Structures are given as C-alpha cells and as structure tokens.
Amino acid sequence: MNWLFPLSKGSGSLPPLNSLQQQRQRQIESLKSAHPSLAEIQKDVEYRIPFTVNNSTISVNILLPPQFPQEKPVVSVYPPVGHHLVDSNNGTMITSPLISNFGMHSDLGKVIQSLLDEFWKSPPALMSAGPAGFSYMYKPSGMAPYPAQSFHYGARHVGPSQTPPPGPGPAPTPMPHPGADGAHGPPRAPAPYGLISDLPLPVPTVDSQLSDMSENEDVLLEFFVSLPQLKQVTTDKEELVTNIVDMAKKNLQMEPQLEGKRQEMLYKYEQLTQMKQAFETKMQRQHELSESCSLSTLQARLKVAAHQAEEESEETAENFLEGRTDIDEFLTSFMEKRTLCHSRRAKEEKLQQSINTHGQFPTSH
C-alpha cells in the first residue's frame, strides 16, 4: 500500500519531530480526545465531525495547513447553512473569531467544541441550494496546494491490472473521480464530499437512535449505563463511601483517648468546684476579719474598754471609802485601773486622729 502514500519511504526509523510538528500533534490529540466521533479523512491534515441538529446531519470539516499551528486552521461546514458564524457568501466557511484569532497557544479541541456549542444554542439553517460542485473540504483561494496525499482515491478494491510495479519508480497517476469512472457500470453523479465519495457517516441519526432505544430496553439500559455522568456519579459515590468508612475507623480508634480526656475533664471540674467553695468561705472569713479590724471598730472597742476600766477604778475607790479594803490594796488596784483607763483613752484619741487624717482603711506603706 506504500504506492498510495508517496511520502512514506521504506520501513526505517522516522526522523524525530521538530517543535512545530510536536505542537501540531498535540493539537490533533486534543481534537481527538475532545470529539470521539471525529473521522480522519487524511492523516494529520483533514478531519470531519458530524453532528445532528433539527433532524439534519451537518459535517464540520477541519483542514490543517502545512504550518499549523502557526497558521490557523480552515474550518467549514457541509451542506451549506445560514448562520452568524458562517460566511454568507458560500454558506460553508466558518468566520468565527475563535478561528480567525487562532494562535500557537490555542486549543483546537476546545475551539471546535465552542463552535459546536454555539451551533446547538443557535441551530444553523440549511440553504436551499449550495454552490455548484462544492467539494467536501473547501480550500480558500490563495492557499498553497497540499502534498500529494490529497489526490482523489479510486475504487475500494484494486484489480490485478492496477497493481503497482514493485520498487522505486514514478508516482502513479491519480485516479479519476468516481463520478466519471465508466469501467464499473453506468456513470454516477459526483459525490458531494469529493475526497472520499462513499464514506458513511460515523453516527446514526437521532430518529434511528430513539427508535432502537424504544424498541429494545437492553439498548436503552446500555446507553444509560455508558453515560459518563452516571459513571462519574458512581465513582463519586464510591469515593464518598470509602472516605466515610475511613473516618469512622479513625473515630473508633480515637474513642478510648476521648473517653480518657472526658474523665480527666470531669475530675478537673470537680476540683474546680471544691476550690471555688473553699475560696468563697475564705473570702467570707476575710470580710468578717476586715470588718472586725477596721479603725472605727477598734475605736469603739477602746472606748468601751476605757469606760469599763474607769468604772472599775471608781468601784475600787468606793470600796476603800466604805472601809472594805485597806490602803495598800486600794492603792495598787486603783492605780492599775486608772492607768489602764487613761491608756485606753489615749489610744482612742490617737485612733480618732488617724481616722480623721487617713480615712477608715489607711493604706500601708
């Protein structure tokens, strides 16, 4: 089959890709991963994405120039449609800013997905009659021709007379268009897609899918099970259950430690209660002692004690005058009580002076 692809020579190792080719391959991989229904028309050059809207199948055709991604891709649709993202002159060329502003750092897969989303939001309208002779991949004027791989292919089966001679030699002459081939029956009308005339659409229409699902519950169940959203929900559920089980195990492992801390806290709280009661008792005792040792209280007590000593001295004097005590006993007892009385009165007066100067509770220095 090497005669179909003149660019592939021999079976030796291919030269390493340069930076531009590596970026080109990354853009193609992004396109393939973002669109599973992508059909490869010509490897690394032409691609097609069919999508169905309003019961009509429209193909988005993507042509990658030789210097892609330095050059922006050429994106068109077939059949011709009317849409604000499509050139109104031919109804095929997409003129979206996403394409016209495409650069080295753009993502081809995301750009095409954005275009498809816009087509879903605002469905394009099929034009009544497209331009005559419209080919599958429209190439704008002024674009350099592509390598020799892009000639029209012939019939699918190659006969004995069409077997190429082995070894190197001149490249075979491109086959005529299938519409003009008269050797295999009556002439056929030119295929609307041009490059590959009878390439089927890779996806069925919406009507056929709905019909299969309504008639066969197994197909509907298989489609439902294969939904990525359901798979994601199942995965999230399994991860959540696993996390809950792990957290429950950790909680059970920490239960003895938590119980020990709880008992320790109860013991500390009981100690706090006892200390609080002892503190309140001592505070009450301190308040009582403070009241009993105040200056006014001491003054009152000194006054009472001085008055009591004075009365006792007078009683001793009366006993002496009445002859109930002798003179020696009188002198000893009377002098002692009078001395005590005067001493207490002196202390009372000094305390009163201190109260008048410093107040009820003087501060100690």
Side-chain angles (χ1 to χ4, degrees), residues 292-312:
S292 64
C293 296
S294 63
L295 296 180
S296 59
T297 304
L298 292 176
Q299 183 186 11
R301 289 181 179 181
L302 286 173
K303 184 181 291 188
V304 172
H307 182 67
Q308 183 180 358
E310 185 178 6
E311 288 182 351
E312 290 178 355

Side-chain angles (χ1 to χ4, degrees), residues 102-223:
F102 191 91
M104 292 286 292
H105 301 290
S106 302
D107 190 322
L108 183 59
K110 294 181 179 180
V111 168
I112 299 301
Q113 183 61 47
S114 300
L115 294 177
L116 295 179
D117 293 341
E118 187 64 28
F119 284 153
W120 280 110
K121 295 177 183 177
S122 176
L126 294 177
M127 301 179 69
S128 57
F134 176 76
S135 60
Y136 174 77
M137 180 59 67
Y138 177 83
K139 293 184 175 63
S141 60
M143 178 177 290
Y146 290 96
Q149 294 99 314
S150 59
F151 56 79
H152 295 284
Y153 296 132
R156 289 182 177 180
H157 302 284
V158 180
S161 61
Q162 296 171 320
T163 303
T173 305
M175 297 292 293
H177 194 279
D181 187 4
H184 297 83
R188 294 179 299 171
Y193 298 118
L195 288 179
I196 301 180
S197 59
D198 50 359
L199 181 66
L201 293 175
V203 293
T205 62
V206 175
D207 292 339
S208 62
Q209 288 180 340
L210 296 177
S211 177
D212 293 342
M213 292 180 183
S214 61
E215 295 176 358
N216 192 340
E217 293 184 357
D218 295 336
V219 175
L220 179 60
L221 180 60
E222 182 180 359
F223 173 77

Side-chain angles (χ1 to χ4, degrees), residues 32 42 55 78 88 93 104 115 137 183 209 225 235 298 304 319 327:
K32 291 180 178 179
Q42 184 178 353
N55 295 329
Y78 187 85
S88 58
M93 295 301 298
M104 292 286 292
L115 294 177
M137 180 59 67
Q209 288 180 340
V225 172
T235 303
L298 292 176
V304 172
N319 290 334
I327 188 168

Side-chain angles (χ1 to χ4, degrees), residues 316-331:
T316 301
E318 291 178 358
N319 290 334
F320 174 72
L321 293 176
E322 292 176 358
R324 291 196 291 269
T325 58
D326 56 10
I327 188 168
D328 293 334
E329 183 180 354
F330 165 72
L331 292 174

Side-chain angles (χ1 to χ4, degrees), residues 43-360:
K43 182 176 176 60
D44 298 341
V45 177
E46 298 180 10
Y47 295 91
R48 180 187 66 185
I49 301 176
F51 71 98
T52 303
V53 58
N54 294 337
N55 295 329
S56 300
T57 300
I58 301 174
S59 296
V60 176
N61 309 316
I62 305 159
L63 179 65
L64 306 181
Q67 296 300 319
F68 175 82
Q70 289 183 350
E71 297 181 20
K72 58 180 179 291
V74 180
V75 184
S76 60
V77 296
Y78 187 85
V81 297
H83 195 269
H84 66 276
L85 295 181
V86 181
D87 187 1
S88 58
N89 294 328
N90 50 42
T92 58
M93 295 301 298
I94 294 180
T95 58
S96 170
L98 294 174
I99 301 300
S100 59
N101 298 329
F102 191 91
M104 292 286 292
H105 301 290
S106 302
D107 190 322
L108 183 59
K110 294 181 179 180
V111 168
I112 299 301
Q113 183 61 47
S114 300
L115 294 177
L116 295 179
D117 293 341
E118 187 64 28
F119 284 153
W120 280 110
K121 295 177 183 177
S122 176
L126 294 177
M127 301 179 69
S128 57
F134 176 76
S135 60
Y136 174 77
M137 180 59 67
Y138 177 83
K139 293 184 175 63
S141 60
M143 178 177 290
Y146 290 96
Q149 294 99 314
S150 59
F151 56 79
H152 295 284
Y153 296 132
R156 289 182 177 180
H157 302 284
V158 180
S161 61
Q162 296 171 320
T163 303
T173 305
M175 297 292 293
H177 194 279
D181 187 4
H184 297 83
R188 294 179 299 171
Y193 298 118
L195 288 179
I196 301 180
S197 59
D198 50 359
L199 181 66
L201 293 175
V203 293
T205 62
V206 175
D207 292 339
S208 62
Q209 288 180 340
L210 296 177
S211 177
D212 293 342
M213 292 180 183
S214 61
E215 295 176 358
N216 192 340
E217 293 184 357
D218 295 336
V219 175
L220 179 60
L221 180 60
E222 182 180 359
F223 173 77
F224 181 73
V225 172
S226 63
L227 287 175
Q229 294 87 345
L230 181 60
K231 294 180 179 179
Q232 184 64 35
V233 170
T234 304
T235 303
D236 294 343
K237 177 184 176 182
E238 293 176 354
E239 292 180 356
L240 185 59
V241 170
T242 303
N243 293 336
I244 293 175
V245 172
D246 293 340
M247 189 175 297
K249 291 180 180 179
K250 291 180 179 179
N251 290 339
L252 291 177
Q253 292 175 357
M254 296 178 64
E255 184 176 4
Q257 182 180 0
L258 179 62
E259 184 64 23
K261 295 294 184 181
R262 178 175 174 273
Q263 294 297 333
E264 183 179 356
M265 184 189 67
L266 292 177
Y267 175 73
K268 295 291 185 183
Y269 180 76
E270 184 178 357
Q271 283 186 332
L272 175 64
T273 303
Q274 295 176 358
M275 294 175 67
K276 181 180 179 182
Q277 292 177 354
F279 174 76
E280 291 177 351
T281 302
K282 292 181 179 180
M283 284 293 296
Q284 184 178 0
R285 177 60 179 166
Q286 189 267 344
H287 181 70
E288 294 175 355
L289 293 175
S290 177
E291 289 291 335
S292 64
C293 296
S294 63
L295 296 180
S296 59
T297 304
L298 292 176
Q299 183 186 11
R301 289 181 179 181
L302 286 173
K303 184 181 291 188
V304 172
H307 182 67
Q308 183 180 358
E310 185 178 6
E311 288 182 351
E312 290 178 355
S313 65
E314 290 178 356
E315 183 180 357
T316 301
E318 291 178 358
N319 290 334
F320 174 72
L321 293 176
E322 292 176 358
R324 291 196 291 269
T325 58
D326 56 10
I327 188 168
D328 293 334
E329 183 180 354
F330 165 72
L331 292 174
T332 303
S333 177
F334 182 79
M335 292 298 294
E336 181 182 356
K337 288 180 173 52
R338 295 302 292 182
T339 301
L340 181 61
C341 176
H342 289 296
S343 175
R344 289 176 177 176
R345 288 187 185 278
K347 291 181 179 179
E348 178 192 354
E349 293 174 359
K350 187 175 181 180
L351 190 58
Q352 180 64 41
Q353 184 179 1
S354 178
I355 293 175
N356 295 334
T357 304
H358 302 289
Q360 183 74 14

